[in-house]
Amino acid sequence: MDVDKLTTELAAYEYARLWDVTDPRSVAEWVFSSPDDFEDFEALPAAAAALDQMRAAFRSESDDDRFEATALAFAGTAIRLTVPVAARTGGERWALTGNDGTVDKWLRLTVGDTEALIVAWGPGRFFLQLRLASSPMKAALKSGSLSEDDLVIFKGTDLLRSFARDAVRYYIDDVENAKWFVDQPAVVQAARLMNARLAAAAARLPRTSRHDPELAARAWAAAEVLYFDSDVELPTLPDEDLLDAEPTGFDRPYRGKPAEGDYPEVQPTSPAARERANAEHDALCRQLIAHLSKRGIEAGELTSPPVDVAWRGANNRQVIAEIKSCFDGNDTDQLRLGLGQLLEYRQRLAGAGVTADAILLVTRVKDPFWYEICRSVDIRLLAGDDEATWDLG
């Protein structure tokens, strides 16, 4: 891939709204430009009002303030360094949203219609997820500018469909390693390539009402402080022994947004059907989380593998649950899909040294033989319309 080839690729999206403010050649040249080329701070005037606030947060004696400032800085860095013409396209080509939870908090950067970054933090926890184009990463590994030893602990499975042939996802759960990772030139180029494609190709825009301009301004300013103030120190997590004392079994709180997955042949085809399926998926997730909460168990999401709901069960064992909505005669397809996903996720966790119990929760079970099928591979099948019979171990 070079500037000319990428220009041709981007120009194929002839009617992209991105070309209202730039052109394919300029974006292609930007992708391959200096990895230190941040978009100017002054390009987003609203960020000026947040600059002193971010400086104070980075220098605060409160770990909460410092971790929040750091998370904002990672989001702001991704926006200013890897989103094309970011200052002019916020709320149109990209959106930044957040959750100000009482325990766990997160920020999400969406470019086009695809999640590009998640950063989450809470007591004793920090987590950064990036979706990148894989070709620049492979080139860096081949040239020796990056090594497999550097990246193997970060790499995860990507199940999204957008540009899936040239996509990879990385997960980092340490602030210092996250900073090192995002500073690598290959990572910057890989993020730019992915985000340029997403911004040009998206069939729909992020919902403008979900974009938080004030949050984006703070992130823009936080990146300025992190990279251009000389006396900023990153916060550190507690010792690993402390972190391992009370494992939660999940990486982040449930976000209320079901993953569509990488199985287009079984996805609802109409917008109304997709909305109905997503709403049912969300309702089932919340039903399970509420059921666990009544038993004093906290549950959330795993990110690698991408498990819908996860928690620590009896004897502190990892438990993973795949959630499937069933409508309009798709019960068998959904059961087959959910069962296959759980077998994959359980085996991936086993490969990482984690033994997991698996649960498949579906809207209903019309054919009772599926209980036997699931039992044969040590998976518990639950029906959302029969909560009274749930056996969670």
Side-chain angles (χ1 to χ4, degrees):
M1 179 67 69
D2 56 25
V3 171
D4 289 337
K5 290 180 180 178
L6 183 56
T7 299
T8 300
E9 177 185 334
L10 295 176
Y13 302 103
E14 182 178 357
Y15 300 106
R17 292 287 299 276
L18 184 61
W19 310 144
D20 292 345
V21 295
T22 185
D23 60 83
R25 182 78 186 185
S26 296
V27 173
E29 290 174 346
W30 164 80
V31 167
F32 293 97
S33 67
S34 169
D36 300 324
D37 188 13
F38 279 75
E39 187 158 356
D40 289 343
F41 179 72
E42 294 78 10
L44 190 71
L51 192 57
D52 287 343
Q53 178 191 6
M54 290 297 98
R55 284 177 171 146
F58 268 111
R59 294 163 177 81
S60 172
E61 295 182 2
S62 165
D63 284 344
D64 289 344
D65 290 345
R66 295 174 65 214
F67 271 106
E68 180 177 17
T70 301
L72 284 163
F74 279 119
T77 299
I79 294 167
R80 293 178 58 186
L81 203 57
T82 73
V83 176
V85 287
R88 301 175 63 186
T89 57
E92 297 178 359
R93 295 285 86 193
W94 61 271
L96 185 67
T97 54
N99 169 52
D100 190 16
T102 56
V103 179
D104 291 290
K105 305 178 182 181
W106 52 261
L107 301 169
R108 176 168 59 237
L109 172 64
T110 303
V111 180
D113 57 6
T114 302
E115 184 180 277
L117 169 146
I118 282 279
V119 57
W121 68 103
R125 292 194 292 275
F126 177 87
F127 166 82
L128 176 68
Q129 169 191 306
L130 286 167
R131 188 170 190 260
L132 311 173
S134 58
S135 50
M137 303 299 290
K138 291 177 181 177
L141 290 170
K142 185 176 181 180
S143 71
S145 60
L146 288 176
S147 73
E148 288 285 2
D149 291 340
D150 292 330
L151 301 180
V152 66
I153 63 171
F154 301 151
K155 190 174 180 180
T157 303
D158 183 82
L159 297 178
L160 296 179
R161 296 192 294 271
S162 300
F163 301 100
R165 293 183 179 179
D166 190 25
V168 63
R169 193 177 294 268
Y170 287 91
Y171 308 89
I172 307 100
D173 60 3
D174 173 81
V175 177
E176 184 176 349
N177 281 330
K179 178 65 165 56
W180 172 86
F181 187 76
V182 300
D183 285 346
Q184 301 307 302
V187 173
V188 174
Q189 186 181 105
R192 286 178 175 175
L193 178 55
M194 175 58 71
N195 292 342
R197 287 167 167 166
L198 293 173
R204 54 187 169 89
L205 305 177
R207 296 177 184 173
T208 303
S209 60
R210 295 181 61 195
H211 176 60
D212 188 335
E214 187 273 337
L215 191 66
R218 292 171 62 208
W220 197 279
E224 185 77 6
V225 175
L226 178 60
Y227 279 88
F228 299 105
D229 280 18
S230 60
D231 59 343
V232 172
E233 294 184 4
L234 292 172
T236 56
L237 293 170
D239 292 339
E240 287 294 328
D241 291 342
L242 181 58
L243 291 178
D244 292 339
E246 296 184 359
T248 63
F250 59 91
D251 295 324
R252 64 189 180 199
Y254 177 64
R255 300 172 300 160
K257 178 187 177 185
E260 292 185 353
D262 195 25
Y263 306 92
E265 66 276 9
V266 297
Q267 296 297 327
T269 54
S270 72
R274 283 195 296 272
E275 184 175 353
R276 183 186 181 198
N278 287 347
E280 172 66 8
H281 183 284
D282 180 51
L284 287 169
C285 287
R286 294 184 187 278
Q287 182 183 0
L288 176 56
I289 291 169
H291 183 95
L292 291 165
S293 180
K294 291 176 183 177
R295 300 175 58 187
I297 299 172
E298 186 180 8
E301 299 176 0
L302 274 184
T303 55
S304 181
V307 174
D308 288 327
V309 181
W311 65 93
R312 290 284 179 172
N315 300 319
N316 206 32
R317 283 176 65 88
Q318 177 70 56
V319 185
I320 59 174
E322 179 63 27
I323 314 299
K324 291 297 173 195
S325 58
C326 298
F327 290 112
D328 303 327
N330 71 345
D331 300 66
T332 299
D333 285 339
Q334 290 293 79
L335 283 159
R336 288 172 176 169
L337 177 57
L339 188 61
Q341 286 177 264
L342 281 171
L343 292 173
E344 175 195 350
Y345 298 161
R346 189 171 64 184
Q347 191 60 36
R348 288 186 183 278
L349 288 168
V354 177
T355 301
D357 295 332
I359 291 174
L360 177 58
L361 172 59
V362 297
T363 302
R364 64 200 178 196
V365 179
K366 297 175 70 175
D367 180 359
F369 192 65
W370 273 101
Y371 288 106
E372 183 63 29
I373 294 171
C374 289
R375 276 195 297 269
S376 72
V377 287
D378 295 323
I379 289 175
R380 275 172 282 170
L381 176 61
L382 307 178
D385 62 359
D386 195 15
E387 183 176 348
T389 66
W390 288 6
D391 174 17
L392 299 177

